[in-house]
Amino acid sequence: MTTTGEDHVAARGGPWWWARRRSAVLDVGLAVVSALECGLEGIPFARAAGVPVAAGVVFGLLAGSVLVVRRQWPIAVVLVAIAVTPAQMGFLMGIVGLYTLAASELPRRIIASLAGMSLVGTLIVTFVRVRQGMGRGDLDLGDWFVPFAAITTSLGLTAPPVLLGLYVGARRRLMESLRERADSLERELQLLAERAEERAEWARNEERTRIAREMHDVVAHRVSLMVVHAAALQAVARKDPEKAVRNAALVGDMGRQALTELREMLGVLRSGGEAVERRASASVPLAAVGVAAAVAASRAVEEESGPCLSELEELIGQSAAAGMVVDLSVEGEVRSYAPEVEQTAYRVVQEALTNVHKHAAGAKTHVRLAHRVSEIAMQVENGPPPEAASSARLPSGGNGLVGMKERVAALGGVFVSGPTEAGGFRVSAVIPAA
């Protein structure tokens, strides 16, 4: 990050009011030179005024040393230079004082007033001195030379330092403005980078959650049915070999279906990872990689050929084959919906049936599907499990209801679940058709 003015002062601070030690050395050097100049010029002034030479030298030294405070009090330096102008001393102090005054942050009216006072003072003193010189016979150039010399000298000692000071001050203010703007832009870029990283992290978390939900939906139902069929197979293996064979075939079919869906999901993850690696190899920023990876994975999952509502009967048939007493009722005119709507509706019914297998084995279950004008509604309700029902001791991760609610909420729908008065459990969801 670039160094701001305050940081610069803190990093390279000078003594007293100076921002840098180099500035202090420069001002002290100028003050010494100005003091020596005024001290030497105080000798003829003392002789002309009829005062001791030592007094004139001390007066010149004191007047010239005022230049040391030019950065802190430029007005005082200019006023002292104007005051000693009749004594014909302090030329360096006047020039440097006017330059410092013009380059400062003081209002322009103050700068113009003091520059005008210095100009008039120099003009009058020069006019009087040149006229006195011509009166003594030192100069014999004509009457025109007096005003010419006065105007030229006053303008030469006033205009250049003032104009140079105004230019340097304007340039300094411009550089400070550009530096502040650069600092502001850098801070904004840093904030944008942090926000982009946060958005990328949020996108990655969302995608991880979505992948976990897909994996849960893909694996949980198939494996639950396999466990139920395996338990039934164990129970009837000796009593009814033919039924045991059928159950074994069902277990094999469901295992193959689970493997097929797992391969599809892993293919999606692998393609998303390759897309991230390609983008990273192109030297794309980390935040852009995260967002692009999340978008790519989301598109890949969306483009995956997922289940649809036409497969509900097959889903319910698999549960019935596993020993569940389940029926399906459909209301309204059957029509097609967007793929994500049909997939979400299918997953809700699938997860609800899986929960029945886990927690209420043998309970009678009703699946209702309603096609409405602008929405589709589904409800899976089971009664209390029979007391004599055998339990397959299926593990539960506690993510089924959460996953269903997230799926429905992502499409702007409403999800409600809870126990019924009869001791069963009900899962209801309404998803907008559009």
Side-chain angles (χ1 to χ4, degrees):
M1 181 179 290
T2 56
T3 304
T4 60
E6 295 181 358
D7 297 336
H8 189 68
V9 171
R12 302 180 58 186
W16 295 342
W17 56 83
W18 286 286
R20 294 176 295 181
R21 296 184 182 276
R22 186 176 62 183
S23 302
V25 173
L26 176 62
D27 288 356
V28 171
L30 290 174
V32 171
V33 174
S34 178
L36 293 177
E37 177 204 353
C38 293
L40 294 175
E41 292 169 347
I43 297 174
F45 168 71
R47 291 172 180 173
V51 297
V53 176
V57 173
V58 172
F59 174 74
L61 292 174
L62 293 176
S65 62
V66 176
L67 196 59
V68 76
V69 297
R70 70 183 185 95
R71 297 179 190 267
Q72 186 73 5
W73 298 292
I75 297 178
V77 175
V78 175
L79 291 177
V80 172
I82 295 173
V84 299
T85 299
Q88 287 189 316
M89 64 173 62
F91 294 103
L92 177 62
M93 180 172 57
I95 293 173
V96 176
L98 287 174
Y99 164 79
T100 307
L101 178 70
S104 65
E105 301 295 332
L106 292 172
R108 293 296 178 85
R109 62 179 183 275
I110 296 178
I111 297 174
S113 300
L114 292 176
M117 292 171 60
S118 178
L119 176 66
V120 172
T122 305
L123 178 66
I124 294 174
V125 171
T126 305
F127 185 87
V128 172
R129 292 294 183 178
V130 173
R131 191 173 182 83
Q132 288 177 352
M134 293 185 66
R136 290 193 302 267
D138 297 338
L139 296 173
D140 188 10
L141 297 175
D143 295 337
W144 62 271
F145 182 73
V146 176
F148 173 78
I151 295 174
T152 303
T153 303
S154 59
L155 288 177
L157 295 176
T158 305
V162 171
L163 295 178
L164 180 61
L166 291 175
Y167 167 75
V168 172
R171 185 175 178 274
R172 182 187 299 126
R173 287 187 290 272
L174 176 62
M175 294 301 295
E176 291 177 355
S177 175
L178 292 177
R179 186 182 297 110
E180 292 177 358
R181 187 175 300 177
D183 292 341
S184 176
L185 289 176
E186 189 168 356
R187 286 191 295 270
E188 291 179 2
L189 288 176
Q190 186 175 1
L191 290 175
L192 289 176
E194 293 175 356
R195 292 177 182 176
E197 184 64 25
E198 292 176 358
R199 288 196 296 269
E201 184 63 26
W202 175 84
R204 287 191 290 267
N205 292 334
E206 286 293 316
E207 194 57 31
R208 281 194 292 265
T209 302
R210 179 173 182 174
I211 292 171
R213 188 166 56 240
E214 288 288 338
M215 297 289 289
H216 178 272
D217 292 342
V218 166
V219 176
H221 183 72
R222 303 293 184 189
V223 175
S224 298
L225 292 180
M226 290 171 62
V227 173
V228 172
H229 281 292
L233 178 62
Q234 183 180 6
V236 302
R238 296 180 180 178
K239 299 179 182 180
D240 192 349
E242 295 182 359
K243 187 174 182 180
V245 170
R246 290 195 301 270
N247 288 340
L250 287 174
V251 171
D253 291 339
M254 291 178 184
R256 284 188 289 272
Q257 292 176 3
L259 286 175
T260 300
E261 293 183 356
L262 280 176
R263 287 194 191 99
E264 293 177 355
M265 182 60 60
L266 292 176
V268 171
L269 295 178
R270 187 175 294 110
S271 63
E274 292 174 355
V276 172
E277 291 178 359
R278 288 196 298 269
R279 292 178 180 270
S281 62
S283 299
V284 180
L286 178 62
V289 171
V291 176
V295 173
S298 299
R299 290 179 178 176
V301 173
E302 290 175 0
E303 293 173 359
E304 179 191 1
S305 56
C308 56
L309 291 176
S310 60
E311 302 175 11
L312 273 182
E313 293 184 1
E314 180 182 356
L315 176 68
I316 293 174
Q318 293 173 355
S319 295
M324 178 186 293
V325 181
V326 56
D327 60 57
L328 171 66
S329 62
V330 180
E331 301 176 2
E333 182 180 356
V334 179
R335 64 183 187 276
S336 61
Y337 301 90
E340 58 270 17
V341 175
E342 294 204 8
Q343 184 175 356
T344 300
Y346 180 93
R347 294 300 189 193
V348 169
V349 176
Q350 182 187 54
E351 181 60 30
L353 293 178
T354 301
N355 288 340
V356 174
H357 283 294
K358 289 180 179 180
H359 307 291
K364 187 174 182 180
T365 306
H366 302 277
V367 179
R368 299 180 179 86
L369 186 67
H371 299 274
R372 299 171 184 171
V373 177
S374 58
E375 61 189 15
I376 179 173
M378 65 226 64
Q379 183 182 87
V380 179
E381 181 179 353
N382 63 273
E387 297 180 358
S390 61
S391 175
R393 295 189 300 275
L394 294 171
S396 177
N399 296 319
L401 295 177
V402 175
M404 285 189 283
K405 185 174 182 180
E406 290 176 350
R407 283 181 176 276
V408 174
L411 298 179
V414 179
F415 177 85
V416 178
S417 63
T420 62
E421 296 180 357
F425 199 83
R426 180 188 298 116
V427 171
S428 302
V430 178
I431 304 174

